[in-house]
Amino acid sequence: MSNSTIIEGNLVATGLQTVILASRFNSFIVDQLVAGALDCLTRHGADPAQQTVVWVPGAWEIPLVAQRVIATRKPHAVVAVGCVIRGGTDHYAHVSAEVQKGIAQVSWQTGVPIGNGVLTVESLEQAIERAGSKMGNKGAEAALAVVETVNVLKGLG
Ligand code: INI
């Protein structure tokens, strides 16, 4: 056996305080992502009363509000959920590119994990597949990723 040091995060969410940051645009899909994130956190031991859901108008607004919510509420992590669906113009391309970049930037600048559960898809069908049907629930996956990331960061001191 090797003598390697292995540092990894477990999936225990006891005591975890998160903000689930959700955008209302395509809320029919986003409601399912929020439910998936909350269900995942509580099934891994988090207290529902310690989770806060913050709504913004569209995915574009997620990075700005993530930055503010981290500064003011000081959560252990943020789970960002939204749904950007390609339309007839290039608006989709701008919104989807900037929200992904913005989430990464805010997470790196603040040192707070932000799970990326913002769907950027070609069609409503692809969104439905990722909101609790055949491709799983990307809100739940983003929530699980922050549980593990918070715990690996704890392990690193
Ligand atoms: N916002 C979304 O969250 N999803 C979309 O699919 C979308 N499209 O396609 O337009 C969208 N646009 C709104 C955008 O996020 C902002 O809220 C808006 O531009 C006001 O700043």
Side-chain angles (χ1 to χ4, degrees):
M1 290 295 280
S2 88
N3 293 323
S4 309
T5 301
I6 296 173
I7 300 173
E8 58 186 354
N10 65 34
L11 300 178
V12 178
T14 315
L16 189 72
Q17 294 168 21
T18 73
V19 168
I20 296 169
L21 183 48
S23 47
R24 290 187 197 285
F25 210 102
N26 298 315
S27 64
F28 159 72
I29 296 294
V30 180
D31 284 345
Q32 300 308 312
L33 301 175
V34 171
L38 278 170
D39 178 62
C40 172
L41 292 169
T42 53
R43 284 168 58 206
H44 284 267
D47 178 355
Q50 292 195 305
Q51 319 313 312
T52 302
V53 181
V54 175
W55 287 95
V56 296
W60 180 267
E61 282 74 32
I62 286 176
L64 171 69
V65 178
Q67 194 178 44
R68 179 66 62 90
V69 97
I70 288 167
T72 57
R73 301 187 78 94
K74 305 196 186 320
H76 299 126
V78 172
V79 182
V81 291
C83 178
V84 192
I85 304 178
R86 187 184 292 279
T89 69
D90 63 359
H91 191 60
Y92 156 94
H94 297 298
V95 173
S96 54
E98 297 309 320
V99 70
Q100 305 295 348
K101 266 192 272 171
I103 286 172
Q105 248 176 39
V106 173
S107 183
W108 295 335
Q109 280 166 2
T110 59
V112 173
I114 304 180
N116 185 355
V118 179
L119 305 180
T120 53
V121 292
E122 297 291 318
S123 64
L124 186 56
E125 188 184 357
Q126 285 186 351
I128 292 168
E129 285 172 358
R130 289 158 178 78
S133 61
K134 61 185 189 187
M135 301 295 287
N137 184 310
K138 299 298 170 191
E141 284 178 27
L144 193 59
V146 301
V147 173
E148 182 171 350
T149 307
V150 165
N151 289 332
V152 78
L153 290 175
K154 262 190 222 161
L156 289 166

